[in-house]
Amino acid sequence: MRFTCMKWSTLPVAVLVASGVAMAQDQSSSGSQQPAPAPAAAPAPETKPKPTVAQRKENQQDRIANGVQSEQLTAGETANLEKKEAAINKETAADRAANGGKLTAAEKKQVNRQQNQMSKQIYADKHNANTAHYGNNKVGQRRENQQDRIAQGIKSGQLTAGETAKLENQQKGINKQVAADRKANGGALTTSEKKQINKEQNGASKNIYHKKHNAKTQPQAQPKP
């Protein structure tokens, strides 16, 4: 009889514990049914500032220099590109001189339009069938060395577009002469022809050095603060 009373006296406690567990489970299940919070909106990507006129010019020169060094641009193509680039630079300088060192909005648009055309021309010349072939010989190596020196001068800003155009026209003339001499001799050059070409390249080498070390330089674009 005493045992029976103790058994029934523990029943309310067990019921309360079971009820608490059930309530906790109900709260947990009801909480899991609530919709998840919406993810935070991703931050909008920063818009890159448009390149300045000077930055655009420097970018074009870097592309030309890379094309010269990779042999995608021939001396003739480079001379033509740099002649056009020199004309744009001359026009820009004249506009600045007429406006106290600044360009008007209309002038900036005009320069940008011209540089867009230049950009397309650079791409077309770098991806056409014309490439510079120098050959694995002393004459070819000398020509390649001159082109590498010109490319380095373009990248460093030591050579202006106008100077580069003149240097590449000189190389174009030498290349044309080499091709004509080879064609006349079954693909080879005579000893006297090699001497003549080497003499012309010596003159071109001095010309490259002079233009890279004179007072004229291609202004480098300054990054925006």
Side-chain angles (χ1 to χ4, degrees):
M1 185 68 179
R2 193 177 301 164
F3 173 79
T4 303
C5 290
M6 291 176 64
K7 180 179 179 181
W8 285 105
S9 65
T10 60
L11 182 60
V13 176
V15 171
L16 288 173
V17 171
S19 300
V21 172
M23 288 177 65
Q25 290 176 344
D26 288 344
Q27 291 175 355
S28 175
S29 60
S30 63
S32 63
Q33 292 175 358
Q34 294 179 356
E46 294 183 5
T47 56
K48 292 183 178 180
K50 291 183 178 181
T52 63
V53 170
Q55 287 170 337
R56 190 82 191 274
K57 285 163 58 180
E58 184 176 350
N59 179 56
Q60 303 284 51
Q61 289 299 89
D62 286 344
R63 292 174 62 201
I64 291 172
N66 291 335
V68 172
Q69 206 149 28
S70 67
E71 302 177 16
Q72 290 175 287
L73 291 175
T74 65
E77 289 173 333
T78 306
N80 183 52
L81 289 172
E82 291 290 32
K83 184 180 178 181
K84 292 180 179 179
E85 192 70 29
I88 297 174
N89 294 347
K90 188 176 181 180
E91 181 183 337
T92 304
D95 289 340
R96 288 188 187 280
N99 296 299
K102 296 183 178 181
L103 295 174
T104 66
E107 289 167 345
K108 287 180 181 179
K109 285 184 179 180
Q110 173 66 13
V111 173
N112 194 55
R113 184 161 56 248
Q114 291 172 331
Q115 287 289 16
N116 286 342
Q117 294 172 350
M118 273 293 300
S119 183
K120 291 178 182 178
Q121 186 64 52
I122 293 169
Y123 181 89
D125 287 347
K126 288 176 71 173
H127 294 84
N128 62 14
N130 299 327
T131 54
H133 296 292
Y134 302 114
N136 189 21
N137 52 64
K138 288 185 178 180
V139 172
Q141 288 172 352
R142 188 79 190 275
R143 290 163 60 194
E144 184 175 1
N145 179 57
Q146 303 285 52
Q147 289 299 89
D148 287 343
R149 291 174 63 201
I150 292 172
Q152 187 275 334
I154 297 171
K155 275 192 173 182
S156 66
Q158 290 174 286
L159 291 176
T160 65
E163 289 175 329
T164 304
K166 291 178 181 178
L167 291 173
E168 288 290 34
N169 265 325
Q170 188 175 17
Q171 288 299 310
K172 178 185 175 182
I174 296 174
N175 296 345
K176 191 175 180 179
Q177 180 183 337
V178 171
D181 289 342
R182 289 189 184 281
K183 186 176 181 180
N185 297 301
L189 294 174
T190 65
T191 303
S192 61
E193 287 169 346
K194 288 179 182 178
K195 285 183 178 180
Q196 175 63 24
I197 292 165
N198 193 55
K199 183 179 180 181
E200 291 177 7
Q201 286 289 22
N202 286 342
S205 182
K206 291 178 182 178
N207 204 10
I208 293 170
Y209 180 88
H210 171 71
K211 291 188 185 307
K212 287 177 70 175
H213 294 85
N214 61 14
K216 297 178 182 178
T217 56
Q218 182 81 23
Q220 302 294 295
Q222 298 297 322
K224 284 186 176 183

